[in-house]
Amino acid sequence: MSFAKKFAATVVAATIGSSAVASNTIVDIAVGDDRFSTLVAAVSAAGLVETLQGPGPFTVYAPVNEAFAALPAGTVETLLKPENKGDLTNVLLYHVDDRNLTSSQIPAGSNYFKPVLASERLCITKDSNGVMISDGTGDMATVVIADIKADNGVIHVIDKVLLPGTRPSC
């Protein structure tokens, strides 16, 4: 079992054990779905669990495990180290918008969106092929599942980890 999966299993046990009231927050949904075990481990390592269990609203562009696995070898393990918490937090906050944006609220065409990582921008393109997100590397993520509703926002599942950097062309 990988470090990320072991870490996620610990987070799952801690989260479930501390839930006195049934809820369906973004974190609860991610914890309950094996496709997000690496994301859950990262959110925990960054200290963002409590924030993303809060009232929101939030839109989270949630990369699946395969998206993290596609990063260069050792990237995830390096980001999960305590001394890299700031970098990990920045990467994760690049995946969060402080609004509840369903796919129907994303306008057609290409538009800049401001993630919680305020110094950065995402370019989100919506057309007949679906929704794509361009990040600071200029690479595109595709929304593979849209509009997973949570009590405190919405999750859009993506196939790539978004990385901050240069403002993408939009």
Side-chain angles (χ1 to χ4, degrees):
M1 184 183 286
S2 73
F3 172 77
K5 286 188 179 187
K6 287 179 189 174
F7 195 82
T10 303
V11 172
V12 169
T15 302
I16 291 171
S18 65
S19 293
V21 177
S23 65
N24 197 31
T25 68
I26 287 168
V27 171
D28 297 323
I29 291 169
V31 165
D33 189 327
D34 288 342
R35 295 174 296 180
F36 300 121
S37 62
T38 305
L39 178 62
V40 169
V43 167
S44 180
L48 294 173
V49 171
E50 189 173 307
T51 299
L52 292 175
Q53 284 180 323
F58 302 109
T59 297
V60 174
Y61 306 105
V64 292
N65 294 337
E66 290 79 11
F68 284 99
L71 292 170
T75 301
V76 172
E77 291 76 13
T78 299
L79 284 171
L80 290 174
K81 291 180 179 178
E83 63 268 23
N84 297 322
K85 184 177 178 179
D87 291 337
L88 176 61
T89 300
N90 286 342
V91 169
L92 293 172
L93 292 179
Y94 196 50
H95 290 80
V96 180
D97 193 302
D98 61 1
R99 299 171 288 173
N100 186 355
L101 294 171
T102 63
S103 60
S104 65
Q105 294 170 311
I106 297 172
S110 295
N111 299 279
Y112 281 115
F113 281 76
K114 180 185 74 62
V116 172
L117 183 58
S119 63
E120 300 290 333
R121 295 293 177 270
L122 295 167
C123 179
I124 300 181
T125 302
K126 180 179 175 182
D127 61 22
S128 60
N129 295 320
V131 177
M132 284 86 48
I133 305 168
S134 182
D135 69 4
T137 68
D139 289 339
M140 299 285 280
T142 300
V143 174
V144 294
I145 302 172
D147 300 328
I148 298 174
K149 304 250 190 285
D151 291 344
N152 61 345
V154 64
I155 299 170
H156 300 297
V157 181
I158 57 175
D159 63 356
K160 177 194 176 302
V161 176
L162 302 172
L163 298 171
T166 305
R167 180 177 267 197
S169 298
C170 203

